[in-house]
Amino acid sequence: MCPPVLIPLGTALTAGAATGGAAAAVGASALMGVASAGLQIRGQQIQAKTQAKVQANASAVERQRYLNEVSSLRSQQAQEQVAMAQKLQANKTKAREARATARVSAGEAGVAGLSVDALMNDLTRKEAMYNNSVNTQAQMLDVRRELSLRDAGLGFTNNMLRINRPIEEVNYAGALVSGAQTGLSTYGAIKS
């Protein structure tokens, strides 16, 4: 389909075709040029529209990939937080039981005073050291995850920039010049 601006031009140029052989050659050449320009413009429009659809589809796929990646990282984070909380709770229970057992054993043995207090403090210190190591591990995992999330975001941005490169606009002037060249070539071929 020719752009509407080219139809009157082709009609006007071919109107003189009935007046004679030279005029027919000019008219046929002009018609070929107009048709060529119209086809080039339509081809460029179709190509731009197709590229826009491809980009939209690729963008949707990339968005879903990114959301899946972030969701997976957040799910992993939640699982690790539950595991850390369970470790801390188990350690708290174990330490409480150890202190109770130590106090009862010391009472049955008739030991009291500073030595029992020192034993209780040692058990509390061990509990605190374990809890600190669990919390430090959790912090390191959080830092690693934040870096992974940042990398995922940068990857998403880079992929979207790569996917959504600017679409070339229809080059009307280039198509008209090319159409004129086609018309002149046709005219030269007819006159030969």
Side-chain angles (χ1 to χ4, degrees), residues 70-115:
V70 169
S71 177
S72 174
L73 288 169
R74 291 299 184 194
S75 176
Q76 182 182 9
Q77 179 182 26
Q79 291 169 1
E80 289 170 354
Q81 287 174 340
V82 167
M84 296 294 178
Q86 289 172 342
K87 284 181 181 180
L88 291 173
Q89 185 59 41
N91 186 49
K92 182 178 182 179
T93 302
K94 184 178 171 183
R96 189 178 328 124
E97 290 171 354
R99 283 192 294 270
T101 301
R103 191 169 301 277
V104 168
S105 295
E108 289 176 353
V111 178
L114 293 177
S115 60

Side-chain angles (χ1 to χ4, degrees), residues 7 50 77 88 91 94 96 123 127 141 143 156 171:
I7 293 171
T50 302
Q77 179 182 26
L88 291 173
N91 186 49
K94 184 178 171 183
R96 189 178 328 124
L123 292 172
E127 177 188 12
L141 287 172
V143 167
F156 171 74
N171 183 356

Side-chain angles (χ1 to χ4, degrees), residues 78-174:
Q79 291 169 1
E80 289 170 354
Q81 287 174 340
V82 167
M84 296 294 178
Q86 289 172 342
K87 284 181 181 180
L88 291 173
Q89 185 59 41
N91 186 49
K92 182 178 182 179
T93 302
K94 184 178 171 183
R96 189 178 328 124
E97 290 171 354
R99 283 192 294 270
T101 301
R103 191 169 301 277
V104 168
S105 295
E108 289 176 353
V111 178
L114 293 177
S115 60
V116 173
D117 290 342
L119 178 61
M120 294 298 136
N121 289 340
D122 187 53
L123 292 172
T124 301
R125 181 188 58 78
K126 287 179 181 177
E127 177 188 12
M129 285 177 56
Y130 180 80
N131 288 348
N132 186 48
S133 71
V134 169
N135 288 330
T136 300
Q137 182 182 9
Q139 289 172 349
M140 291 186 329
L141 287 172
D142 283 344
V143 167
R144 187 188 80 212
R145 186 169 305 96
E146 288 304 316
L147 291 173
S148 294
L149 286 168
R150 187 177 303 141
D151 287 347
L154 289 173
F156 171 74
T157 301
N158 288 337
N159 286 341
M160 291 301 278
L161 289 172
R162 181 184 48 78
I163 290 168
N164 293 305
R165 295 197 184 274
I167 298 172
E168 286 188 38
E169 294 187 22
V170 176
N171 183 356
Y172 292 103

